[in-house]
Amino acid sequence: MKKVIFTAVFALTAIATHAQKPSPALLNPTNHTLVLIDHEGQMAFATKSIDAIDLRNNVGLIAGASKIFNVPTVVTTVAEKSFSGPVFPEILEAFPNTSQYIDRTTMNTWEDANAYKAITSKGKKKLVFAGLWTSVCIVGPTLSAISDGYEVYVVTDASGDVSKEAHDQAISRMVQAGAKPITSLQYLLELQRDWSRGETYKAVTDLAVKYGGAYGIGIQYAREMLKH
C-alpha cells in the first residue's frame, strides 16, 4: 500500500514539475537580443499605420523593458545626421549613450557589417525586431535572419509604415516566412512572467504606468485606492 501511495505521489510531483516548465518559445531576459531599428523623426513623419503617440508609448515599453531586464539590445539608425534625425526620446531615456548606436546607409540592417556584427555577437538565437518602416527596415533583417537560422519575433505595435496596408502586408509576409508577431505590452509582461519577482516588480509597473495607456492608469488607480 505504501508503495502504491509513494508511486502516486511521485507521479503527481512529476506532473506538477513538468507543468511548471515554460515553453522554449517564450521570451525571457536572457534568451534573445532586442534590435530597435530607425525609430527616428523623419521615419515617423510619414508613418500612418499607427498613431504617433501610441507608437512612442509602445517603443517606450519595449526599450524600458529591455533596460529593466538587462536584455542585450542594439539600437541602429539610418542616415541619422544627414536625413532621418535622432531616435525617439523614449529610446534615449533607456539608452542615453548615443555613441553606441549604429548608423547605417543600408535599408536592410542585416547587410550592414557593423550592425550585423553587433547583433550576432550577442550570441542569441532569438531576435526581437521593432522599427520603421515595417515593409522595408523590418522585413529586410527579419527575412535575412530567418534565412540564417535565427528565430525572429516582430513587435508589431512598436513598428509602423506609410499605410496600414503596407504594415499589414509586411507582417503577413514575415509571418509566412516564420516570424512570430508580438506586441509591446506582451513583451514587457512576458519578461516579467511572475509578479513574485520582486526585484523587477516596481520597475515594470512604473513603466506600465508611464507608457501602458489604460493598463497603466489602472495600476496607478489600484496603488492609490488599495493603500487606504
Side-chain angles (χ1 to χ4, degrees):
M1 184 65 179
K2 290 182 178 179
K3 183 177 181 181
V4 173
I5 294 174
F6 175 80
T7 302
V9 171
F10 179 81
L12 289 172
T13 303
I15 290 171
T17 302
H18 179 72
Q20 292 176 356
K21 185 177 181 181
S23 166
L26 290 172
L27 296 169
N28 65 55
T30 62
N31 71 356
H32 72 284
T33 296
L34 176 67
V35 186
L36 302 175
I37 301 175
D38 305 348
H39 288 106
E40 302 169 89
Q42 182 61 245
M43 304 303 296
F45 296 156
T47 296
K48 304 300 180 184
S49 63
I50 183 172
D51 182 82
I53 295 173
D54 292 335
L55 176 63
R56 288 181 58 182
N57 283 335
N58 294 338
V59 169
L61 281 175
I62 61 173
S66 68
K67 185 70 172 181
I68 290 168
F69 291 99
N70 296 311
V71 174
T73 301
V74 174
V75 179
T76 180
T77 57
V78 63
E80 179 187 5
K81 300 300 183 183
S82 61
F83 179 74
S84 296
V87 301
F88 292 2
E90 293 75 17
I91 294 177
L92 286 168
E93 180 181 30
F95 302 103
N97 187 359
T98 58
S99 66
Q100 295 183 353
Y101 297 177
I102 299 170
D103 196 48
R104 320 176 321 276
T105 59
T106 63
M107 290 185 229
N108 180 4
T109 296
W110 211 251
E111 295 180 51
D112 181 89
N114 291 329
Y116 175 81
K117 181 179 179 181
I119 296 167
T120 58
S121 66
K122 305 295 186 186
K124 310 297 182 182
K125 294 303 290 184
K126 293 181 188 291
L127 302 177
V128 178
F129 288 134
L132 305 176
W133 297 321
T134 321
S135 62
V136 182
C137 301
I138 300 302
V139 163
T142 293
L143 297 184
S144 301
I146 290 173
S147 179
D148 282 354
Y150 288 84
E151 187 177 3
V152 179
Y153 299 68
V154 176
V155 189
T156 58
D157 64 351
S159 304
D161 215 313
V162 297
S163 69
K164 183 178 184 300
E165 181 176 6
H167 175 79
D168 291 347
Q169 293 297 340
I171 296 298
S172 178
R173 182 182 179 188
M174 291 185 286
V175 168
Q176 289 174 23
K180 301 178 180 181
I182 60 172
T183 58
S184 54
L185 186 58
Q186 178 186 3
Y187 179 74
L188 172 65
L189 298 181
E190 197 161 312
L191 297 187
Q192 175 66 24
R193 196 83 61 79
D194 186 340
W195 291 121
S196 70
R197 293 173 178 167
E199 67 275 12
T200 53
Y201 176 86
K202 186 176 187 304
V204 165
T205 51
D206 284 349
L207 185 68
V209 168
K210 188 170 187 178
Y211 294 123
Y215 176 59
I217 290 295
I219 293 173
Q220 180 193 32
Y221 177 87
R223 284 177 172 178
E224 179 65 25
M225 301 307 290
L226 294 180
K227 73 182 183 181
H228 295 296

